[in-house]
PDB file of all heavy atoms in Angstrom:
ATOM      1  N   TRP O  27    -107.216-114.257  28.837  1.00 94.00           N
ATOM      2  CA  TRP O  27    -106.292-114.244  27.702  1.00 94.00           C
ATOM      3  C   TRP O  27    -106.879-114.994  26.520  1.00 94.00           C
ATOM      4  O   TRP O  27    -106.789-114.551  25.378  1.00 94.00           O
ATOM      5  CB  TRP O  27    -104.939-114.850  28.122  1.00 94.00           C
ATOM      6  CG  TRP O  27    -103.888-114.691  27.078  1.00 94.00           C
ATOM      7  CD1 TRP O  27    -103.275-115.680  26.367  1.00 94.00           C
ATOM      8  CD2 TRP O  27    -103.322-113.464  26.593  1.00 94.00           C
ATOM      9  NE1 TRP O  27    -102.379-115.165  25.484  1.00 94.00           N
ATOM     10  CE2 TRP O  27    -102.387-113.802  25.601  1.00 94.00           C
ATOM     11  CE3 TRP O  27    -103.542-112.112  26.909  1.00 94.00           C
ATOM     12  CZ2 TRP O  27    -101.649-112.843  24.913  1.00 94.00           C
ATOM     13  CZ3 TRP O  27    -102.802-111.165  26.214  1.00 94.00           C
ATOM     14  CH2 TRP O  27    -101.869-111.526  25.235  1.00 94.00           C
ATOM     15  N   ASN O  30    -109.491-112.934  24.897  1.00 95.00           N
ATOM     16  CA  ASN O  30    -108.814-111.863  24.173  1.00 95.00           C
ATOM     17  C   ASN O  30    -108.312-112.359  22.814  1.00 95.00           C
ATOM     18  O   ASN O  30    -108.559-111.744  21.775  1.00 95.00           O
ATOM     19  CB  ASN O  30    -107.660-111.345  25.050  1.00 95.00           C
ATOM     20  CG  ASN O  30    -106.780-110.345  24.329  1.00 95.00           C
ATOM     21  OD1 ASN O  30    -107.184-109.744  23.344  1.00 95.00           O
ATOM     22  ND2 ASN O  30    -105.558-110.175  24.809  1.00 95.00           N
ATOM     23  N   TRP O  41    -110.206-107.753   9.239  1.00 97.00           N
ATOM     24  CA  TRP O  41    -109.119-106.885   8.766  1.00 97.00           C
ATOM     25  C   TRP O  41    -108.548-107.422   7.451  1.00 97.00           C
ATOM     26  O   TRP O  41    -108.328-106.686   6.504  1.00 97.00           O
ATOM     27  CB  TRP O  41    -108.048-106.848   9.860  1.00 97.00           C
ATOM     28  CG  TRP O  41    -106.695-106.319   9.508  1.00 97.00           C
ATOM     29  CD1 TRP O  41    -106.338-105.003   9.453  1.00 97.00           C
ATOM     30  CD2 TRP O  41    -105.505-107.064   9.222  1.00 97.00           C
ATOM     31  NE1 TRP O  41    -104.995-104.904   9.144  1.00 97.00           N
ATOM     32  CE2 TRP O  41    -104.472-106.150   9.000  1.00 97.00           C
ATOM     33  CE3 TRP O  41    -105.217-108.427   9.141  1.00 97.00           C
ATOM     34  CZ2 TRP O  41    -103.164-106.550   8.695  1.00 97.00           C
ATOM     35  CZ3 TRP O  41    -103.923-108.823   8.840  1.00 97.00           C
ATOM     36  CH2 TRP O  41    -102.912-107.879   8.619  1.00 97.00           C
ATOM     37  N   TYR O  46    -106.943-107.183   2.113  1.00 96.00           N
ATOM     38  CA  TYR O  46    -106.300-108.148   1.213  1.00 96.00           C
ATOM     39  C   TYR O  46    -107.314-108.908   0.365  1.00 96.00           C
ATOM     40  O   TYR O  46    -107.074-109.179  -0.798  1.00 96.00           O
ATOM     41  CB  TYR O  46    -105.449-109.130   2.019  1.00 96.00           C
ATOM     42  CG  TYR O  46    -104.342-108.431   2.746  1.00 96.00           C
ATOM     43  CD1 TYR O  46    -104.495-108.031   4.057  1.00 96.00           C
ATOM     44  CD2 TYR O  46    -103.165-108.123   2.090  1.00 96.00           C
ATOM     45  CE1 TYR O  46    -103.496-107.346   4.714  1.00 96.00           C
ATOM     46  CE2 TYR O  46    -102.147-107.442   2.737  1.00 96.00           C
ATOM     47  CZ  TYR O  46    -102.315-107.057   4.052  1.00 96.00           C
ATOM     48  OH  TYR O  46    -101.322-106.376   4.692  1.00 96.00           O
ATOM     49  N   GLY O  49    -109.920-105.901  -1.506  1.00 95.00           N
ATOM     50  CA  GLY O  49    -109.173-104.830  -2.170  1.00 95.00           C
ATOM     51  C   GLY O  49    -108.037-105.328  -3.055  1.00 95.00           C
ATOM     52  O   GLY O  49    -107.587-104.606  -3.937  1.00 95.00           O
ATOM     53  N   ARG O  60    -120.622-102.062  -9.104  1.00 93.00           N
ATOM     54  CA  ARG O  60    -120.327-100.639  -9.004  1.00 93.00           C
ATOM     55  C   ARG O  60    -121.032 -99.981  -7.847  1.00 93.00           C
ATOM     56  O   ARG O  60    -122.133-100.363  -7.461  1.00 93.00           O
ATOM     57  CB  ARG O  60    -120.693 -99.925 -10.308  1.00 93.00           C
ATOM     58  CG  ARG O  60    -119.890-100.477 -11.464  1.00 93.00           C
ATOM     59  CD  ARG O  60    -119.915 -99.549 -12.649  1.00 93.00           C
ATOM     60  NE  ARG O  60    -119.379 -98.242 -12.338  1.00 93.00           N
ATOM     61  CZ  ARG O  60    -118.475 -97.625 -13.115  1.00 93.00           C
ATOM     62  NH1 ARG O  60    -118.008 -98.210 -14.188  1.00 93.00           N
ATOM     63  NH2 ARG O  60    -118.062 -96.419 -12.817  1.00 93.00           N
ATOM     64  N   GLY O  63    -119.871 -94.082  -8.970  1.00 91.00           N
ATOM     65  CA  GLY O  63    -118.803 -94.033  -9.948  1.00 91.00           C
ATOM     66  C   GLY O  63    -117.640 -94.941  -9.612  1.00 91.00           C
ATOM     67  O   GLY O  63    -116.700 -95.077 -10.382  1.00 91.00           O
ATOM     68  N   TYR O  64    -117.686 -95.537  -8.417  1.00 95.00           N
ATOM     69  CA  TYR O  64    -116.587 -96.402  -7.999  1.00 95.00           C
ATOM     70  C   TYR O  64    -116.802 -97.830  -8.467  1.00 95.00           C
ATOM     71  O   TYR O  64    -117.910 -98.354  -8.366  1.00 95.00           O
ATOM     72  CB  TYR O  64    -116.530 -96.459  -6.472  1.00 95.00           C
ATOM     73  CG  TYR O  64    -115.939 -95.264  -5.774  1.00 95.00           C
ATOM     74  CD1 TYR O  64    -116.735 -94.447  -4.982  1.00 95.00           C
ATOM     75  CD2 TYR O  64    -114.588 -95.000  -5.859  1.00 95.00           C
ATOM     76  CE1 TYR O  64    -116.193 -93.367  -4.295  1.00 95.00           C
ATOM     77  CE2 TYR O  64    -114.037 -93.919  -5.174  1.00 95.00           C
ATOM     78  CZ  TYR O  64    -114.846 -93.111  -4.395  1.00 95.00           C
ATOM     79  OH  TYR O  64    -114.311 -92.058  -3.716  1.00 95.00           O
ATOM     80  N   LYS O  65    -115.738 -98.479  -8.921  1.00 95.00           N
ATOM     81  CA  LYS O  65    -115.781 -99.929  -9.020  1.00 95.00           C
ATOM     82  C   LYS O  65    -115.547-100.435  -7.607  1.00 95.00           C
ATOM     83  O   LYS O  65    -114.687 -99.899  -6.897  1.00 95.00           O
ATOM     84  CB  LYS O  65    -114.685-100.435  -9.954  1.00 95.00           C
ATOM     85  CG  LYS O  65    -114.943-100.047 -11.408  1.00 95.00           C
ATOM     86  CD  LYS O  65    -113.755-100.398 -12.262  1.00 95.00           C
ATOM     87  CE  LYS O  65    -114.024-100.019 -13.712  1.00 95.00           C
ATOM     88  NZ  LYS O  65    -112.789 -99.914 -14.481  1.00 95.00           N
ATOM     89  N   GLN O  72    -109.236 -98.149  -1.896  1.00 96.00           N
ATOM     90  CA  GLN O  72    -108.879 -96.753  -1.658  1.00 96.00           C
ATOM     91  C   GLN O  72    -109.751 -96.047  -0.636  1.00 96.00           C
ATOM     92  O   GLN O  72    -109.430 -94.933  -0.223  1.00 96.00           O
ATOM     93  CB  GLN O  72    -108.878 -95.977  -2.987  1.00 96.00           C
ATOM     94  CG  GLN O  72    -107.913 -96.574  -4.005  1.00 96.00           C
ATOM     95  CD  GLN O  72    -107.271 -95.537  -4.923  1.00 96.00           C
ATOM     96  OE1 GLN O  72    -107.826 -94.497  -5.168  1.00 96.00           O
ATOM     97  NE2 GLN O  72    -106.088 -95.855  -5.431  1.00 96.00           N
ATOM     98  N   GLN O  73    -110.852 -96.630  -0.241  1.00 96.00           N
ATOM     99  CA  GLN O  73    -111.730 -95.977   0.733  1.00 96.00           C
ATOM    100  C   GLN O  73    -112.242 -96.949   1.798  1.00 96.00           C
ATOM    101  O   GLN O  73    -112.018 -96.766   2.982  1.00 96.00           O
ATOM    102  CB  GLN O  73    -112.958 -95.360   0.010  1.00 96.00           C
ATOM    103  CG  GLN O  73    -112.630 -94.296  -1.006  1.00 96.00           C
ATOM    104  CD  GLN O  73    -112.498 -92.935  -0.375  1.00 96.00           C
ATOM    105  OE1 GLN O  73    -113.306 -92.516   0.432  1.00 96.00           O
ATOM    106  NE2 GLN O  73    -111.436 -92.226  -0.733  1.00 96.00           N
ATOM    107  N   ASN O  91    -112.690-103.552  26.861  1.00 93.00           N
ATOM    108  CA  ASN O  91    -113.037-102.901  28.120  1.00 93.00           C
ATOM    109  C   ASN O  91    -114.069-103.732  28.879  1.00 93.00           C
ATOM    110  O   ASN O  91    -114.019-103.851  30.095  1.00 93.00           O
ATOM    111  CB  ASN O  91    -113.563-101.492  27.859  1.00 93.00           C
ATOM    112  CG  ASN O  91    -112.466-100.585  27.344  1.00 93.00           C
ATOM    113  OD1 ASN O  91    -111.286-100.921  27.452  1.00 93.00           O
ATOM    114  ND2 ASN O  91    -112.843 -99.454  26.767  1.00 93.00           N
ATOM    115  N   ASP O  94    -112.278-106.803  30.292  1.00 92.00           N
ATOM    116  CA  ASP O  94    -111.499-106.414  31.472  1.00 92.00           C
ATOM    117  C   ASP O  94    -112.358-106.473  32.728  1.00 92.00           C
ATOM    118  O   ASP O  94    -111.948-106.968  33.766  1.00 92.00           O
ATOM    119  CB  ASP O  94    -110.972-104.972  31.326  1.00 92.00           C
ATOM    120  CG  ASP O  94    -109.842-104.869  30.322  1.00 92.00           C
ATOM    121  OD1 ASP O  94    -109.399-105.917  29.838  1.00 92.00           O
ATOM    122  OD2 ASP O  94    -109.425-103.733  30.022  1.00 92.00           O
ATOM    123  N   VAL O  99    -109.987-107.719  35.647  1.00 87.00           N
ATOM    124  CA  VAL O  99    -108.568-107.351  35.528  1.00 87.00           C
ATOM    125  C   VAL O  99    -108.425-105.881  35.131  1.00 87.00           C
ATOM    126  O   VAL O  99    -107.368-105.441  34.725  1.00 87.00           O
ATOM    127  CB  VAL O  99    -107.828-108.225  34.477  1.00 87.00           C
ATOM    128  CG1 VAL O  99    -107.710-109.646  34.958  1.00 87.00           C
ATOM    129  CG2 VAL O  99    -108.528-108.165  33.136  1.00 87.00           C
ATOM    130  N   GLU O 101    -108.237-101.749  35.284  1.00 81.00           N
ATOM    131  CA  GLU O 101    -107.476-100.821  36.127  1.00 81.00           C
ATOM    132  C   GLU O 101    -108.443-100.129  37.081  1.00 81.00           C
ATOM    133  O   GLU O 101    -109.611 -99.970  36.760  1.00 81.00           O
ATOM    134  CB  GLU O 101    -106.802 -99.759  35.241  1.00 81.00           C
ATOM    135  CG  GLU O 101    -105.808-100.340  34.286  1.00 81.00           C
ATOM    136  CD  GLU O 101    -105.687 -99.498  33.020  1.00 81.00           C
ATOM    137  OE1 GLU O 101    -106.632 -99.495  32.225  1.00 81.00           O
ATOM    138  OE2 GLU O 101    -104.657 -98.872  32.843  1.00 81.00           O
TER     139      GLU O 101
ATOM    140  N   TYR I  77    -104.826 -97.385  -9.308  1.00 96.00           N
ATOM    141  CA  TYR I  77    -105.173 -98.427  -8.342  1.00 96.00           C
ATOM    142  C   TYR I  77    -103.956 -98.918  -7.558  1.00 96.00           C
ATOM    143  O   TYR I  77    -104.033 -99.156  -6.356  1.00 96.00           O
ATOM    144  CB  TYR I  77    -105.849 -99.612  -9.055  1.00 96.00           C
ATOM    145  CG  TYR I  77    -105.873-100.854  -8.196  1.00 96.00           C
ATOM    146  CD1 TYR I  77    -106.821-100.989  -7.182  1.00 96.00           C
ATOM    147  CD2 TYR I  77    -104.935-101.876  -8.369  1.00 96.00           C
ATOM    148  CE1 TYR I  77    -106.832-102.107  -6.357  1.00 96.00           C
ATOM    149  CE2 TYR I  77    -104.931-102.992  -7.548  1.00 96.00           C
ATOM    150  CZ  TYR I  77    -105.882-103.102  -6.549  1.00 96.00           C
ATOM    151  OH  TYR I  77    -105.874-104.201  -5.734  1.00 96.00           O
ATOM    152  N   TYR I 100    -100.314-103.446  25.580  1.00 92.00           N
ATOM    153  CA  TYR I 100     -99.366-104.227  26.374  1.00 92.00           C
ATOM    154  C   TYR I 100     -98.106-103.425  26.671  1.00 92.00           C
ATOM    155  O   TYR I 100     -97.559-103.501  27.761  1.00 92.00           O
ATOM    156  CB  TYR I 100     -99.021-105.526  25.651  1.00 92.00           C
ATOM    157  CG  TYR I 100    -100.256-106.273  25.238  1.00 92.00           C
ATOM    158  CD1 TYR I 100    -100.662-106.333  23.917  1.00 92.00           C
ATOM    159  CD2 TYR I 100    -101.065-106.868  26.203  1.00 92.00           C
ATOM    160  CE1 TYR I 100    -101.817-106.986  23.547  1.00 92.00           C
ATOM    161  CE2 TYR I 100    -102.236-107.513  25.851  1.00 92.00           C
ATOM    162  CZ  TYR I 100    -102.607-107.574  24.520  1.00 92.00           C
ATOM    163  OH  TYR I 100    -103.756-108.194  24.167  1.00 92.00           O
ATOM    164  N   GLN I 213    -114.332 -87.384  -0.845  1.00 95.00           N
ATOM    165  CA  GLN I 213    -114.535 -88.833  -0.806  1.00 95.00           C
ATOM    166  C   GLN I 213    -115.725 -89.253  -1.670  1.00 95.00           C
ATOM    167  O   GLN I 213    -115.736 -90.345  -2.234  1.00 95.00           O
ATOM    168  CB  GLN I 213    -114.774 -89.323   0.626  1.00 95.00           C
ATOM    169  CG  GLN I 213    -113.560 -89.324   1.518  1.00 95.00           C
ATOM    170  CD  GLN I 213    -113.276 -87.952   2.140  1.00 95.00           C
ATOM    171  OE1 GLN I 213    -113.800 -86.934   1.701  1.00 95.00           O
ATOM    172  NE2 GLN I 213    -112.423 -87.944   3.154  1.00 95.00           N
ATOM    173  N   GLY I 217    -116.360 -90.467  -6.558  1.00 94.00           N
ATOM    174  CA  GLY I 217    -117.308 -91.439  -7.111  1.00 94.00           C
ATOM    175  C   GLY I 217    -118.476 -90.791  -7.814  1.00 94.00           C
ATOM    176  O   GLY I 217    -119.480 -91.442  -8.098  1.00 94.00           O
ATOM    177  N   ASP I 230    -114.410 -92.950 -14.619  1.00 95.00           N
ATOM    178  CA  ASP I 230    -114.504 -93.487 -15.981  1.00 95.00           C
ATOM    179  C   ASP I 230    -113.834 -92.556 -16.974  1.00 95.00           C
ATOM    180  O   ASP I 230    -113.139 -92.976 -17.893  1.00 95.00           O
ATOM    181  CB  ASP I 230    -115.978 -93.682 -16.376  1.00 95.00           C
ATOM    182  CG  ASP I 230    -116.626 -94.786 -15.553  1.00 95.00           C
ATOM    183  OD1 ASP I 230    -115.875 -95.616 -15.004  1.00 95.00           O
ATOM    184  OD2 ASP I 230    -117.860 -94.801 -15.448  1.00 95.00           O
ATOM    185  N   THR I 245    -107.967 -97.120 -13.022  1.00 95.00           N
ATOM    186  CA  THR I 245    -108.447 -98.040 -11.991  1.00 95.00           C
ATOM    187  C   THR I 245    -107.962 -99.469 -12.202  1.00 95.00           C
ATOM    188  O   THR I 245    -108.296-100.358 -11.436  1.00 95.00           O
ATOM    189  CB  THR I 245    -109.990 -98.050 -11.920  1.00 95.00           C
ATOM    190  OG1 THR I 245    -110.483 -98.370 -13.224  1.00 95.00           O
ATOM    191  CG2 THR I 245    -110.535 -96.705 -11.492  1.00 95.00           C
ATOM    192  N   LEU I 259     -98.682-105.555   3.077  1.00 96.00           N
ATOM    193  CA  LEU I 259     -98.398-106.240   4.342  1.00 96.00           C
ATOM    194  C   LEU I 259     -97.178-105.634   5.023  1.00 96.00           C
ATOM    195  O   LEU I 259     -97.158-105.392   6.229  1.00 96.00           O
ATOM    196  CB  LEU I 259     -98.174-107.731   4.062  1.00 96.00           C
ATOM    197  CG  LEU I 259     -98.056-108.637   5.284  1.00 96.00           C
ATOM    198  CD1 LEU I 259     -99.320-108.562   6.127  1.00 96.00           C
ATOM    199  CD2 LEU I 259     -97.804-110.074   4.867  1.00 96.00           C
ATOM    200  N   MET I 262     -98.001-102.345   6.543  1.00 95.00           N
ATOM    201  CA  MET I 262     -98.830-102.497   7.746  1.00 95.00           C
ATOM    202  C   MET I 262     -97.984-102.934   8.931  1.00 95.00           C
ATOM    203  O   MET I 262     -98.086-102.375  10.020  1.00 95.00           O
ATOM    204  CB  MET I 262     -99.928-103.529   7.503  1.00 95.00           C
ATOM    205  CG  MET I 262    -101.072-103.014   6.660  1.00 95.00           C
ATOM    206  SD  MET I 262    -102.473-104.109   6.845  1.00 95.00           S
ATOM    207  CE  MET I 262    -103.528-103.544   5.527  1.00 95.00           C
ATOM    208  N   VAL I 281    -104.109 -98.223  30.270  1.00 88.00           N
ATOM    209  CA  VAL I 281    -104.096 -99.245  29.223  1.00 88.00           C
ATOM    210  C   VAL I 281    -105.334 -99.101  28.330  1.00 88.00           C
ATOM    211  O   VAL I 281    -105.259 -99.158  27.107  1.00 88.00           O
ATOM    212  CB  VAL I 281    -104.072-100.654  29.852  1.00 88.00           C
ATOM    213  CG1 VAL I 281    -104.201-101.715  28.781  1.00 88.00           C
ATOM    214  CG2 VAL I 281    -102.784-100.847  30.649  1.00 88.00           C
ATOM    215  N   LYS I 282    -106.466 -98.898  28.996  1.00 88.00           N
ATOM    216  CA  LYS I 282    -107.725 -98.692  28.309  1.00 88.00           C
ATOM    217  C   LYS I 282    -107.606 -97.560  27.279  1.00 88.00           C
ATOM    218  O   LYS I 282    -108.102 -97.655  26.161  1.00 88.00           O
ATOM    219  CB  LYS I 282    -108.742 -98.294  29.378  1.00 88.00           C
ATOM    220  CG  LYS I 282    -110.154 -98.572  29.068  1.00 88.00           C
ATOM    221  CD  LYS I 282    -110.993 -98.250  30.302  1.00 88.00           C
ATOM    222  CE  LYS I 282    -112.001 -97.197  29.929  1.00 88.00           C
ATOM    223  NZ  LYS I 282    -112.653 -96.582  31.065  1.00 88.00           N
ATOM    224  N   ARG I 285    -105.781 -98.355  23.962  1.00 90.00           N
ATOM    225  CA  ARG I 285    -106.600 -98.956  22.898  1.00 90.00           C
ATOM    226  C   ARG I 285    -107.376 -97.901  22.133  1.00 90.00           C
ATOM    227  O   ARG I 285    -107.348 -97.859  20.907  1.00 90.00           O
ATOM    228  CB  ARG I 285    -107.576 -99.961  23.509  1.00 90.00           C
ATOM    229  CG  ARG I 285    -106.885-101.142  24.146  1.00 90.00           C
ATOM    230  CD  ARG I 285    -107.921-102.070  24.778  1.00 90.00           C
ATOM    231  NE  ARG I 285    -107.295-103.064  25.636  1.00 90.00           N
ATOM    232  CZ  ARG I 285    -107.737-103.412  26.828  1.00 90.00           C
ATOM    233  NH1 ARG I 285    -108.838-102.870  27.310  1.00 90.00           N
ATOM    234  NH2 ARG I 285    -107.113-104.321  27.529  1.00 90.00           N
ATOM    235  N   THR I 300    -108.448 -90.760   3.263  1.00 97.00           N
ATOM    236  CA  THR I 300    -109.563 -90.993   2.349  1.00 97.00           C
ATOM    237  C   THR I 300    -109.710 -89.825   1.375  1.00 97.00           C
ATOM    238  O   THR I 300    -110.372 -89.938   0.354  1.00 97.00           O
ATOM    239  CB  THR I 300    -110.883 -91.201   3.120  1.00 97.00           C
ATOM    240  OG1 THR I 300    -111.069 -90.116   4.032  1.00 97.00           O
ATOM    241  CG2 THR I 300    -110.862 -92.508   3.887  1.00 97.00           C
ATOM    242  N   ARG I 587     -99.926-108.939  30.144  1.00 92.00           N
ATOM    243  CA  ARG I 587    -101.125-109.338  29.397  1.00 92.00           C
ATOM    244  C   ARG I 587    -102.418-108.846  30.044  1.00 92.00           C
ATOM    245  O   ARG I 587    -103.470-108.868  29.409  1.00 92.00           O
ATOM    246  CB  ARG I 587    -101.163-110.864  29.269  1.00 92.00           C
ATOM    247  CG  ARG I 587    -100.138-111.384  28.281  1.00 92.00           C
ATOM    248  CD  ARG I 587    -100.205-112.879  28.188  1.00 92.00           C
ATOM    249  NE  ARG I 587     -99.296-113.390  27.172  1.00 92.00           N
ATOM    250  CZ  ARG I 587     -99.218-114.670  26.849  1.00 92.00           C
ATOM    251  NH1 ARG I 587     -99.994-115.557  27.459  1.00 92.00           N
ATOM    252  NH2 ARG I 587     -98.384-115.071  25.923  1.00 92.00           N
ATOM    253  N   PHE I 590    -104.760-104.835  34.736  1.00 85.00           N
ATOM    254  CA  PHE I 590    -104.775-104.598  36.173  1.00 85.00           C
ATOM    255  C   PHE I 590    -103.372-104.299  36.716  1.00 85.00           C
ATOM    256  O   PHE I 590    -102.413-104.988  36.399  1.00 85.00           O
ATOM    257  CB  PHE I 590    -105.355-105.822  36.888  1.00 85.00           C
ATOM    258  CG  PHE I 590    -105.337-105.701  38.379  1.00 85.00           C
ATOM    259  CD1 PHE I 590    -106.240-104.873  39.021  1.00 85.00           C
ATOM    260  CD2 PHE I 590    -104.404-106.397  39.129  1.00 85.00           C
ATOM    261  CE1 PHE I 590    -106.228-104.754  40.398  1.00 85.00           C
ATOM    262  CE2 PHE I 590    -104.383-106.280  40.515  1.00 85.00           C
ATOM    263  CZ  PHE I 590    -105.301-105.455  41.148  1.00 85.00           C
ATOM    264  N   SER I 592    -101.538-101.503  36.361  1.00 77.00           N
ATOM    265  CA  SER I 592    -100.632-100.684  35.565  1.00 77.00           C
ATOM    266  C   SER I 592    -100.247 -99.448  36.365  1.00 77.00           C
ATOM    267  O   SER I 592    -101.033 -98.932  37.147  1.00 77.00           O
ATOM    268  CB  SER I 592    -101.295-100.258  34.259  1.00 77.00           C
ATOM    269  OG  SER I 592    -102.273 -99.294  34.508  1.00 77.00           O
TER     270      SER I 592
END
Side-chain angles (χ1 to χ4, degrees):
Chain O
W27 188 246
N30 173 20
W41 165 82
Y46 298 95
R60 299 197 59 132
Y64 283 113
K65 291 172 180 161
Q72 302 213 333
Q73 299 274 314
N91 292 345
D94 287 354
V99 292
E101 297 151 290
Chain I
Y77 164 79
Y100 308 107
Q213 287 83 344
D230 292 340
T245 56
L259 188 59
M262 284 196 192
V281 174
K282 205 174 121 193
R285 295 178 192 136
T300 52
R587 287 180 176 184
F590 177 74
S592 72

